[in-house]
Amino acid sequence: MGSLPIAVSGSTVNSGGCRWWGWCNKNNSSGKSGSNGSGSSDSCANSSAFVFFLVSFVCLASIAGLYCRVLLPPNVHTTLSSLGCNEDNEGSWSIGVYYGDSPFNLKPIEEANVWRNNTAAWPVANPVVTCASASGASFPSNFVADPFLYVQGDILYLFFEAKNSITMQGDIGVARSTDKGATWEQLGVALDEDWHLSYPYVFDYNGNIYMMPEGSAKGDLRLYRAVKFPTEWKLEKVIMKKPLVDSFIIQHDGKYWLFGSDHSGIGAKKNGQLEIWYSSSPLGPWKPHKKNPIYNTDKSKGARNGGRPFLYDGHLHRAGQDCGETYGRRLRLFKIEALTPTDYKEVEVPLGLKESMKGRNAWNGARSHQLDVQQLSSGEWVAVMDGDQVPSGDVNRRFILGCASVLGVVMLVIVFGMLLGAVKGLVPLSWCPHNVGKRSDASFDWERSSLLSNRMRLFCSRLNRASSSLRARIKPKTCSGGWVLAVIFIVTVVLMCTGVKYIYGGSGAEEAYPLNGQYSQFTLLTMTYDARLWNLKMYVKHYSRCSSVRELVVVWNKGQPPELSELDSAVPVRIRVEEQNSLNNRFKVDPLIKTRAVLELDDDIMMPCDDVERGFKVWREHPERIVGFYPRLADGNPLKYRAENHAREHNGYNMILTGAAFMDSKMAFEKYWSKEAAAGRAVVDKLFNCEDVLLNYLYANASSSSTVEYVKPAWAIDTSKFSGVAISRNTQTHYGLRSSCLQKFSEMYGSISSRKSEFHHRNDGWDV
C-alpha cells in the first residue's frame, strides 16, 4: 500500500520540521518516500555539515594532541613497575618514616639527614615504601597503606595493606629494616585470604605475636598467631561476629580494650561510628561498653581509628581519621582522659605534624590517614605514616569531568556550525516519527492517535528552527557576531584540552622519580638582584612546590633584598646577601646546604616540575657530571661558542649551561674556588660573563670521561622577556664574549673541543 499524507506539509518539514544539517536531499521535500533513500545517503556524505564536523574534530584533536605532548606531565607510576602501580580509584597510597624526641615532635626522614650512598639517596626522602617496592618483590600492588610497626631490638618490621593488582583485594605485606627505616627489604605477603584484608594490627600477648587485620568483608573480626614470624600466620580465633573496621586492642588498668567501628548497623554513620568492648584477655569474651556507640557522628570528627594508640606522659592517645572532605583526609589526635566499663572521655590535642604546601606534588599532599608511633630502646621515637597524592575516587571523578567536557565540546561545535550556516538543524530526519520510510496503514493510524508522536514531531520542528533563529539573533557576519564566534572557538579549545587533561593527563601530580627504590631531595639555588624581584616571586612560588625541592637559596648580588614574607614558598627560603656583585658568587662554597645535589637555575627560566624531576633522576645516575637542560657545542678553529641548533646539526655537545643544571654541591663549588681556578674567576669578573663556561672546563680538566649530560625539557619560558630585565639582550655580543672566554680557558685548562657527548645515547629517551 502507498504512503498516506501526514498532518505536517512538505514545506514545513523541510524548513524546520526534520531537515537536519543539510543531510536531507531535495526529493524528500515533497514528502514522498521509498526510492530516494540511497540518494539521501549520498547527499549526507557530501554535505557541508559532514565536512564541517570532520574538519572541526580533526583540528580539535590536533590541538589536544599537541597540548598532551607539550604540557601534560607523564603519569610517573606507570613507569615504576610493569606488574603493579596501576592507577586505582582508591588512590596511590605510600608509606613514610618520621623521627622525633616525642610523638608530638615528629619530622620526616629527610630532615634527619640520613644518607645512603648505595641507593643514590642524599638524603633519603619519603616515601620509603611504595607500590613499586611491593611489586618489585613479586607481589604486584597498586598501593600500600595502613602501616604498623613491630620492633625487635634494632630491627623494624613493617606490616601493611598491599592492594593486589590482579585480584584487586587487599593482602598483608611485610618488610624489614635494619637501619631505623631508611631502607626496607620486602619479605613478601604475610597473610592472604579470599577476602579483602587491611589494617594489620600486630601485638604481643603471653609470649606470642598476634595480628588482628581488618576483614570486614568476611563479616567478623579474626585473630591470627605467628607460626613462623613474620611471614607465616595461623587463625587463632574469631573474636567477634561483627564486621568491624580498623580495630585495635590495648591493655589499660588491668583490662584489655577493643576499639572498632561497625558501619553495618542500622543508623550507623560511615566513618563516624566508634564502639568499645572490654575483656580480661585479647581472646575474649568481650563485653560492650555501657556508652556504645561511643560516637555516631559526623565523619570529620575522627571517630574511625587511625592507627596504633600510644602511651606518653602517663596518658593514652588515640589517632582518628578525619574523613570530612574525602576518605582519610587527615589525622586527628585525642588524649584519653577516662576509660572504664561505664565511662569514656577524650579530648583532642595537636598532632604536631605540618601538612605539605606542595599539594599533589607531595607524596602525602592530599591525604594521610594512619599513624603508628613507637619508642625505641635508645629513647628516640619512630613513626610510620601513610599518605596519598589524590583524594578518594579521583579516577572516577576525572573520567566524569572529562566526558562532560567532551560533551560540551560537541555542543559548542554544533552551535558554531549553526552560526556559520554549515549546520541547518539539530535533529536528524530519521529521528522524526513521521518520516521513517515505507510504513503500513496501521503505522499511520498509530501516529495520528499517538500523543507522544505528535509531541516529538513538534519538538523536532522547534529544535530545528533554532538554527535560523540563532543566526538571525547573533548575525555572525557582523563585528559583534565575529566576537561571539571567537569566544565560542576559544571556549571549545579550552574545554577540549580540559577533557583530555582529565581523561588522559593523570592526577595532575608532578611526582618525584625514584632510583633504586629510593627518593631524595636537592637544593635549588638562584642568583638575582633587585631589578628582577618580579621574576623571583613567580620563580619561588612555582619551583618551591616541586616534589624533591628541599630548600631554596637566593644569592642576592645587588640592591635591597626582599623580606621572606614577600615570597610565597612551600619550602624554607634562605637569602644569601653578597658583598660584591660577581657572577662567581653563584658557585660559592655554602656549608649550610644540606643536600648533595644542587640545581643551579636562573630566576628567569620557567619549566614544569616534571622536567626538573627528570633532570634530578638523571643526575642521581651520574652524580659526577653536570646534568642540565641547555646543551652547547664549542668547536672550530678558533673556538666558537655555538647554540643548541648547531650542536644538534653536529649530533653532539660538550658543554651544559649551568644556569639550568644539577651538580654536586661540594665537588663543583670546591673545584670552582680552588687555586687552579683563580685565573679563570678573574676572567669572569672582568667580563661579567662565562662563569658557566669556566665550570665546564674545570669539570673536563679533572676527568677523562664524559662530564656533561643533557635532559630535554618539555618546554621552558624566559620570563625576563616579560619583565624587560634580561641580562644578555644582544645575542651576537653575548656569544662573542663567550667565544673569547673559550679561547682563554683553553689556554689555561686545555681544550674541550674533542670531547663530545651524543644526543639520544640513553635508554630513557629524555636526551633526544
Side-chain angles (χ1 to χ4, degrees):
M1 184 177 291
S3 300
L4 295 177
I6 58 176
V8 182
S9 68
S11 60
T12 303
V13 169
N14 275 324
S15 63
C18 282
R19 186 179 176 193
W20 182 63
W21 301 347
W23 291 18
C24 310
N25 80 10
K26 294 182 179 179
N27 291 331
N28 277 344
S29 64
S30 64
K32 296 178 181 179
S33 62
S35 63
N36 294 325
S38 62
S40 176
S41 299
D42 295 338
S43 177
C44 281
N46 298 315
S47 68
S48 61
F50 178 80
V51 175
F52 169 76
F53 278 106
L54 180 63
V55 172
S56 296
F57 287 111
V58 167
C59 290
L60 288 171
S62 300
I63 293 172
L66 182 64
Y67 171 76
C68 289
R69 182 177 180 85
V70 175
L71 294 179
L72 289 185
N75 190 342
V76 176
H77 277 309
T78 61
T79 68
L80 294 180
S81 173
S82 59
L83 296 174
C85 296
N86 300 315
E87 195 170 45
D88 197 292
N89 201 49
E90 289 189 72
S92 57
W93 295 93
S94 51
I95 298 170
V97 170
Y98 293 75
Y99 301 116
D101 55 11
S102 84
F104 299 96
N105 187 32
L106 296 171
K107 295 181 179 179
I109 191 171
E110 49 265 29
E111 294 193 26
N113 209 32
V114 177
W115 287 30
R116 285 292 177 267
N117 290 330
N118 60 337
T119 61
W122 314 296
V124 176
N126 281 327
V128 295
V129 178
T130 65
C131 59
S133 307
S135 299
S138 299
F139 56 108
S141 174
N142 283 356
F143 63 77
V144 293
D146 292 2
F148 281 100
L149 287 173
Y150 185 83
V151 181
Q152 277 189 343
D154 295 329
I155 300 177
L156 302 181
Y157 291 93
L158 178 69
F159 294 87
F160 53 90
E161 173 195 353
K163 175 73 174 290
N164 191 297
S165 302
I166 300 173
T167 64
M168 297 303 289
Q169 72 177 23
D171 299 327
I172 303 304
V174 60
R176 176 174 56 202
S177 175
T178 58
D179 53 11
K180 295 197 305 184
T183 57
W184 294 88
E185 175 193 2
Q186 295 294 323
L187 302 179
V189 175
L191 189 61
D192 180 10
E193 295 282 18
D194 294 333
W195 53 90
H196 175 85
L197 297 174
S198 62
Y199 207 83
Y201 182 73
V202 181
F203 63 96
D204 289 320
Y205 176 67
N206 277 358
N208 291 312
I209 305 174
Y210 291 92
M211 181 197 299
M212 186 177 67
E214 178 199 322
S216 57
K218 184 65 173 175
D220 54 30
L221 184 63
R222 300 185 169 210
L223 198 63
Y224 296 81
R225 178 172 53 84
V227 177
K228 187 177 180 181
F229 185 84
T231 55
E232 293 185 19
W233 300 79
K234 178 183 178 181
L235 177 63
E236 184 75 4
K237 187 177 182 181
V238 176
I239 62 173
M240 190 167 291
K241 293 285 188 178
K242 290 173 72 72
L244 293 184
V245 299
D246 295 357
S247 304
F248 63 74
I249 295 174
I250 57 170
Q251 186 178 19
H252 179 71
D253 282 350
K255 292 183 176 62
Y256 286 88
W257 302 86
L258 170 63
F259 286 60
S261 300
D262 179 7
H263 298 152
S264 65
I266 298 175
K269 295 184 178 180
K270 188 174 182 180
N271 299 325
Q273 195 259 17
L274 175 67
E275 294 179 289
I276 300 176
W277 292 264
Y278 61 94
S279 173
S280 59
S281 164
L283 303 178
W286 296 95
K287 298 179 181 179
H289 194 279
K290 184 179 180 180
K291 289 189 174 181
N292 275 350
I294 303 299
Y295 294 122
N296 193 27
T297 183
D298 184 84
K299 58 186 177 181
S300 66
K301 301 300 184 181
R304 182 169 178 169
N305 292 321
R308 186 189 304 272
F310 61 87
L311 183 68
Y312 182 73
D313 199 20
H315 292 280
L316 274 174
H317 294 79
R318 182 186 71 88
Q321 298 181 40
D322 177 349
C323 299
E325 301 171 30
T326 181
Y327 167 68
R329 172 63 186 91
R330 62 174 62 85
L331 283 168
R332 300 177 67 174
L333 192 62
F334 303 91
K335 182 173 69 173
I336 298 175
E337 295 189 331
L339 177 57
T340 69
T342 59
D343 191 22
Y344 182 78
K345 182 180 180 182
E346 64 181 14
V347 294
E348 187 169 5
V349 294
L351 182 59
L353 284 172
K354 287 199 312 181
E355 288 190 20
S356 173
M357 296 173 61
K358 296 185 179 184
R360 292 196 178 188
N361 289 353
W363 72 277
N364 58 349
R367 299 188 285 173
S368 188
H369 79 341
Q370 179 153 324
L371 169 73
D372 185 4
V373 54
Q374 297 192 38
Q375 191 171 23
L376 302 178
S377 58
S378 63
E380 183 181 21
W381 290 79
V382 62
V384 287
M385 181 183 295
D386 58 10
D388 196 359
Q389 295 179 300
V390 297
S392 179
D394 186 67
V395 176
N396 287 348
R397 171 185 164 275
R398 294 198 324 260
F399 180 76
I400 292 171
L401 290 175
C403 290
S405 298
V406 172
L407 181 61
V409 167
V410 173
M411 296 175 65
L412 287 175
V413 167
I414 293 174
V415 172
F416 196 83
M418 291 170 65
L419 291 175
L420 291 179
V423 177
K424 304 298 183 182
L426 294 174
V427 181
L429 184 66
S430 61
W431 288 5
C432 301
H434 57 285
N435 193 33
V436 291
K438 289 186 176 183
R439 290 161 294 174
S440 65
D441 292 343
S443 300
F444 280 104
D445 290 340
W446 173 83
E447 189 174 296
R448 289 194 190 98
S449 62
S450 173
L451 180 62
L452 176 62
S453 175
N454 291 332
R455 288 184 175 179
M456 279 190 67
R457 193 159 58 238
L458 181 61
F459 182 69
C460 287
S461 300
R462 289 177 176 174
L463 270 182
N464 287 347
R465 278 196 291 267
S467 174
S468 56
S469 175
L470 191 64
R471 283 177 55 82
R473 287 176 178 272
I474 296 180
K475 299 177 181 178
K477 293 185 178 181
T478 64
C479 182
S480 59
W483 276 106
V484 171
L485 286 174
V487 169
I488 292 176
F489 175 76
I490 292 172
V491 173
T492 302
V493 170
V494 170
L495 273 179
M496 188 69 179
C497 292
T498 301
V500 170
K501 178 181 178 181
Y502 279 125
I503 295 173
Y504 171 79
S507 66
E510 295 184 89
E511 307 175 43
Y513 289 76
L515 182 62
N516 301 325
Q518 294 253 228
Y519 294 86
S520 191
Q521 291 187 321
F522 63 87
T523 300
L524 182 62
L525 188 147
T526 190
M527 185 168 64
T528 190
Y529 60 101
D530 51 1
R532 298 164 68 89
L533 185 58
W534 179 83
N535 289 65
L536 180 65
K537 288 182 177 180
M538 184 167 58
Y539 176 99
V540 169
K541 183 174 183 179
H542 173 64
Y543 287 115
S544 68
R545 285 160 174 80
C546 294
S547 182
S548 298
V549 174
R550 166 75 173 273
E551 180 188 29
L552 207 152
V553 178
V554 179
V555 180
W556 195 262
N557 257 6
K558 186 176 70 173
Q560 181 66 30
E563 297 292 332
L564 292 179
S565 58
E566 298 180 54
L567 304 175
D568 180 5
S569 179
V571 299
V573 177
R574 177 163 56 92
I575 299 178
R576 198 177 77 202
V577 180
E578 302 293 347
E579 296 180 1
Q580 180 184 356
N581 184 13
S582 170
L583 292 179
N584 291 323
N585 292 332
R586 181 192 293 273
F587 305 119
K588 183 176 287 187
V589 176
D590 189 341
L592 296 180
I593 290 176
K594 301 180 181 67
T595 63
R596 181 174 175 182
V598 165
L599 171 59
E600 292 268 6
L601 186 62
D602 288 345
D603 65 330
D604 55 7
I605 296 176
M606 296 294 290
M607 65 177 68
C609 284
D610 182 67
D611 286 339
V612 172
E613 297 294 346
R614 289 191 294 120
F616 184 40
K617 181 177 185 291
V618 174
W619 178 84
R620 291 172 66 197
E621 294 170 344
H622 307 284
E624 75 286 353
R625 301 179 187 177
I626 300 173
V627 177
F629 304 95
Y630 293 94
R632 296 291 186 263
L633 180 62
D635 63 359
N637 190 14
L639 275 176
K640 286 189 176 181
Y641 180 83
R642 309 280 191 167
E644 182 176 341
N645 289 339
H646 179 81
R648 290 190 176 278
E649 288 174 4
H650 291 76
N651 192 33
Y653 55 94
N654 51 21
M655 292 177 54
I656 290 290
L657 291 190
T658 59
F662 284 93
M663 61 197 70
D664 187 312
S665 60
K666 185 176 181 180
M667 181 172 73
F669 297 168
E670 288 183 353
K671 282 182 186 296
Y672 196 86
W673 286 92
S674 65
K675 291 181 179 179
E676 292 78 10
R681 294 197 303 273
V683 173
V684 171
D685 276 336
K686 180 180 179 180
L687 300 178
F688 207 78
N689 207 321
C690 302
E691 81 286 356
D692 52 346
V693 179
L694 174 58
L695 188 64
N696 275 270
Y697 267 89
L698 295 173
Y699 261 74
N701 187 50
S703 175
S704 58
S705 60
S706 178
T707 57
V708 290
E709 198 72 35
Y710 167 64
V711 177
K712 182 181 180 180
W715 55 264
I717 299 174
D718 183 356
T719 59
S720 66
K721 298 295 191 296
F722 302 105
S723 60
V725 289
I727 294 176
S728 305
R729 298 188 181 186
N730 190 320
T731 303
Q732 291 299 112
T733 302
H734 177 63
Y735 277 37
L737 277 175
R738 290 162 99 57
S739 294
S740 298
C741 291
L742 287 174
Q743 296 162 25
K744 292 181 187 300
F745 294 153
S746 292
E747 295 173 2
M748 296 176 185
Y749 308 109
S751 177
I752 62 171
S753 58
S754 61
R755 293 173 167 245
K756 190 167 76 170
S757 298
E758 294 184 352
F759 293 98
H760 203 16
H761 70 275
R762 295 197 312 269
N763 293 328
D764 56 28
W766 295 345
D767 60 342
V768 295

